């Protein structure tokens, strides 16, 4: 049974290191074990507050049991449906909100309502199962998205929540807000860990090359040297390079 304590795992590395692939693999494995998984992506330059969370919660709503969502709506009204229109249609709600209505007149109020609604839904979803939220490219997350991560990690003390955030560490300096968030959560004793992905060694490249060409590693040493020199051990570039070699013969 999953612990009822939120946990934050960050996956760091330069572009092409396999951060998204690793997060997707973890998601598949956890789904097999009964977890509910939601995905969101941060996009560079869009600056839309909470956009990754809205995407992730939309995935969550699609995969949660109807009774969980209906209990949320009964308590919170249709506040989430204003950001996730499919909530009403997918769950057979009429959009008028069978529970209390939440109206707002400014963006700050909207953000407050969304935060409360997402927190409530995650706590309900994580009451009897592990909920995994994966956000990709967190180096581009807006302040509101980072604030949501902070509040959920600190407030969902009865929720089986695993948050996985992947980011490009070459774009995150010591002054980046993500580092400030990490340090703040660490000071509050939040369960936090980081996986740092680095380029493949030449020996690891040799294993991939040998497996691709189906030749023993010592017999394809010249090709390994070329691949390692061309790609610097970047897994994505290596796969692309090997695919190109295969296509061109």
């Amino acid at each position: 049974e999953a612990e009822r304590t939120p946990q934050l795992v960050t996956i760091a590395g330069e572009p092409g290191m396999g951060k998204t692939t690793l997060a997707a693999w973890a998601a598949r494995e956890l789904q097999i074990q009964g977890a509910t998984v939601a995905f969101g992506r941060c996009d560079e330059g869009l600056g839309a507050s909470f956009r990754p969370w809205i995407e992730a919660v939309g995935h969550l709503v699609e995969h949660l049991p109807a009774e969980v969502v209906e209990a949320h709506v009964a308590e919170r009204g249709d506040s989430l449906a204003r950001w996730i229109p499919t909530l009403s249609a997918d769950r057979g709600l009429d959009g008028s909100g069978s529970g209390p209505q939440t109206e707002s007149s400014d963006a700050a109020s909207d953000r407050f309502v969304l935060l409360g609604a997402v927190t409530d839904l995650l706590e309900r979803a994580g009451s009897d199962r592990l909920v995994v939220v994966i956000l990709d490219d967190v180096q581009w997350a807006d302040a509101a998205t980072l604030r949501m991560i902070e509040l959920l990690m600190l407030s969902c003390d009865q929720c089986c929540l695993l948050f996985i955030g992947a980011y490009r560490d070459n774009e995150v300096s010591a002054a980046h807000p993500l580092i400030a968030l990490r340090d703040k959560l660490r000071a509050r004793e939040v369960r936090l860990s980081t996986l740092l992905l680095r380029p493949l060694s030449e020996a690891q490249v040799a294993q991939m090359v040998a497996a691709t060409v189906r030749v023993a590693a010592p017999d394809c040493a010249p090709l390994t040297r070329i691949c390692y020199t061309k790609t610097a051990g970047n897994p994505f570039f290596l796969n692309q390079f090997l695919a190109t070699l295969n296509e061109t013969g």
Side-chain angles (χ1 to χ4, degrees):
E1 182 178 350
E3 291 188 47
R4 294 185 181 278
T5 305
Q7 181 176 5
L8 171 63
V9 175
T10 55
I11 304 175
E14 296 181 3
M17 289 297 109
K19 302 179 297 296
T20 302
T21 300
L22 178 58
W25 175 85
R28 287 193 298 269
E29 292 298 310
L30 291 169
Q31 275 185 315
I32 292 172
Q33 299 175 37
T36 299
V37 181
F39 291 88
R41 173 183 287 277
C42 306
D43 293 310
E44 185 177 18
L46 290 185
S49 293
F50 290 115
R51 186 175 184 273
W53 279 106
I54 292 172
E55 180 183 0
V57 173
H59 291 160
L60 193 63
V61 166
E62 291 177 3
H63 296 96
L64 284 176
E67 57 269 21
V68 174
V69 179
E70 289 166 1
H72 163 78
V73 172
E75 176 70 24
R76 291 278 176 169
D78 63 355
S79 54
L80 271 182
R82 292 192 288 129
W83 287 276
I84 307 171
T86 56
L87 178 63
S88 296
D90 289 347
R91 297 304 182 182
L93 305 173
D94 61 11
S96 62
S98 57
Q101 297 300 299
T102 310
E103 299 296 337
S104 62
S105 57
D106 57 70
S109 296
D110 281 346
R111 289 193 295 269
F112 179 79
V113 170
L114 180 60
L115 173 61
V118 171
T119 301
D120 179 79
L121 186 61
L122 286 174
E123 288 181 338
R124 292 178 187 277
S127 64
D128 62 353
R129 76 194 69 217
L130 176 64
V131 176
V132 183
V133 177
I134 299 174
L135 296 191
D136 202 5
D137 287 326
V138 184
Q139 75 276 357
W140 294 326
D142 63 283
T145 295
L146 293 178
R147 178 63 172 163
M148 175 79 85
I149 296 172
E150 177 185 355
L151 293 176
L152 287 171
M153 290 297 103
L154 295 175
S155 63
C156 293
D157 55 353
Q158 293 299 313
C159 177
C160 301
L161 173 64
L162 171 61
F163 174 82
I164 300 175
Y167 70 94
R168 299 178 179 181
D169 61 346
N170 62 319
E171 297 186 25
V172 174
S173 67
H176 194 283
L178 182 59
I179 301 302
L181 171 62
R182 182 200 65 188
D183 293 344
K184 185 183 298 185
L185 293 176
R186 185 170 289 159
R188 296 290 296 272
E189 299 184 347
V190 170
R191 297 173 63 204
L192 188 154
S193 57
T194 297
L195 300 176
L196 186 58
L197 304 186
R198 288 303 184 214
L200 301 173
S201 66
E202 186 168 355
Q204 291 170 323
V205 170
Q207 292 177 357
M208 289 189 63
V209 171
T212 300
V213 300
R214 299 181 181 180
V215 174
D219 296 331
C220 56
L223 178 58
T224 293
R225 169 50 58 178
I226 292 172
C227 290
Y228 186 70
T229 301
K230 290 287 188 180
T231 67
N234 183 298
F236 177 78
F237 295 154
L238 177 59
N239 280 325
Q240 293 294 101
F241 187 64
L242 289 173
T244 300
L245 290 178
N246 183 60
E247 290 173 1
T248 59

